[in-house]
Amino acid sequence: MAAPPPRGPGAAASGALDELSRNLTYGALGAGNGSLSGAWYRRNQIHLFGVLLAILGNLVISVSLNIQKYSHLQLAHQEHPRPHFKSVLWWSGIILMAVGETGNFAAYGFAPITLIAPLGCMSVTGSAIISVMFLKENLRASDLLGMTLAFAGTYLLVNFAPNITQDISARTVQYSFVGWQFMTYGILEILIFCILLYFHKRKGMKHIVILLTLVALLASLTVISVKAVSGMIAFSVTDKMQLTYPIFYIMFIIMIASCVFQVKLLNQATKLYNTATVVPINHTFFTISAIIAGIIFYKEFLGATFLTIFIYLFGCFLSFLGVVLVTRNRGKERLPQSYIDIGHVPGKQTLDKIQPDSNGLSYGTLPDGSDSTKSPSGEKKEV
């Protein structure tokens, strides 16, 4: 006959440690729990492959952005600058960006949305590092702190994101698409989008929160459709063909349309506001909308414990804060410009003092071009 389990303070402490261990272990009582153990890595190799694709994709995007920026700087310093789309260097950046976005697209087929979406902070921090190394921009203390927080948040996100392994088939997508959870979410999103679009278009409200909320609402549809399309392609390669189902093409159309309108609204935001303001707000709004979309459509936090959710959200907060610190007060590049004498601007008449001529003895020239100055009494004197 087996002996009864010991009771007392020691047994209670042991039970609490066991419960904490279960809370920090994937595959135990909660399907959505994570840990830092080696067993976690063995069970989640497919997720880690998706994470690797997303991180590499974001780093390639960082390189592409800096190549395009360097191309613009080179063209601006030329005596007769060409259009940027005629620059081989600029096109190299565009091609690299396409490669990076392809990596992000593929990553959604191997890992949950709630794991891939927050990794966009790697693009911001990577861009800051590359700009310091190759474009000789200043490295500030806030950059170092922001990068540290972003990396720490990414580590927590990777370890405590939901451990949900799904085979994204056409039937799975159809079932989620017509489910009451997504239908309710979709109706609410459409209502909010239409209200904000009314104030933006009809009332002329251009506030950054309105613009980026519209972008985020579209982004939630983008990540849902991207994961559906990517997942069905992966399922077709590894198992049964899914590209013959109508839902694949419905999701493909949603993906393209939401991306196009998202880019259009984001361009409006960057024209009205500084990039240093747009980037952190857009990253935060996008990540929140993507997480909500993943929870509702793909049920990615099903079975997760409170501790796992809390640490995951704390990791998101650290990545948000890191992006804010990296982009804070990072103004647009000021290009060195040669001096222009405003006295020679066509149609410009001025009686103000002009920049002194380094090769002459007089203090500038008058608008009529005569080499003369005025004495304190107002008489014109030839020099």
Side-chain angles (χ1 to χ4, degrees), residues 109-327:
F110 297 98
I113 291 174
T114 46
L115 176 56
I116 299 301
L119 296 179
C121 65
M122 291 291 99
S123 177
V124 179
T125 54
S127 182
I129 294 172
I130 293 169
S131 64
V132 169
M133 294 174 62
F134 296 102
L135 298 182
K136 308 303 180 184
E137 293 187 3
N138 294 327
L139 181 64
R140 306 166 303 173
S142 61
D143 293 336
L144 292 174
L145 179 59
M147 292 173 193
T148 303
L149 291 176
F151 291 145
T154 300
Y155 181 76
L156 293 177
L157 288 169
V158 171
N159 280 282
F160 291 92
N163 179 26
I164 302 296
T165 302
Q166 293 177 311
D167 292 326
I168 307 299
S169 65
R171 292 188 180 277
T172 303
V173 176
Q174 283 178 334
Y175 178 78
S176 299
F177 195 76
V178 299
W180 69 267
Q181 297 96 333
F182 179 70
M183 295 297 289
T184 305
Y185 172 75
I187 291 170
L188 288 174
E189 183 170 283
I190 291 171
L191 286 174
I192 296 171
F193 186 87
C194 290
I195 291 170
L196 292 177
L197 193 62
Y198 171 79
F199 282 108
H200 173 60
K201 293 291 187 182
R202 297 294 183 181
K203 300 296 183 180
M205 296 180 67
K206 307 291 184 181
H207 196 279
I208 189 171
V209 173
I210 292 178
L211 284 169
L212 295 184
T213 302
L214 289 170
V215 172
L217 292 173
L218 289 170
S220 66
L221 295 179
T222 302
V223 294
I224 288 173
S225 56
V226 164
K227 183 168 179 63
V229 171
S230 179
M232 282 188 276
I233 291 174
F235 196 87
S236 299
V237 173
T238 59
D239 200 320
K240 183 181 177 182
M241 176 60 66
Q242 302 294 304
L243 308 187
T244 56
Y245 290 88
I247 191 66
F248 173 82
Y249 299 97
I250 292 173
M251 284 297 183
F252 185 80
I253 292 171
I254 292 174
M255 178 183 71
I256 297 299
S258 60
C259 282
V260 169
F261 287 106
Q262 201 179 151
V263 170
K264 184 179 178 180
L265 289 167
L266 196 55
N267 282 336
Q268 290 184 29
T270 53
K271 287 178 182 178
L272 294 171
Y273 298 94
N274 193 297
T275 306
T277 305
V278 174
V279 169
I281 298 176
N282 182 59
H283 172 70
T284 303
F285 284 14
F286 167 81
T287 304
I288 292 172
S289 68
I291 291 171
I292 294 172
I295 291 172
I296 292 175
F297 195 89
Y298 295 104
K299 301 176 178 60
E300 292 184 352
F301 270 104
L302 188 64
T305 63
F306 173 78
L307 181 60
T308 299
I309 295 173
F310 175 79
I311 296 177
Y312 172 84
L313 294 177
F314 182 66
C316 287
F317 172 75
L318 290 181
S319 69
F320 295 159
L321 187 57
V323 170
V324 170
L325 289 174
V326 169
T327 57

Side-chain angles (χ1 to χ4, degrees), residues 54-68:
I55 291 177
L56 289 177
N58 282 307
L59 291 178
V60 170
I61 290 172
S62 302
V63 174
S64 74
L65 291 173
N66 280 277
I67 288 176
Q68 291 177 65

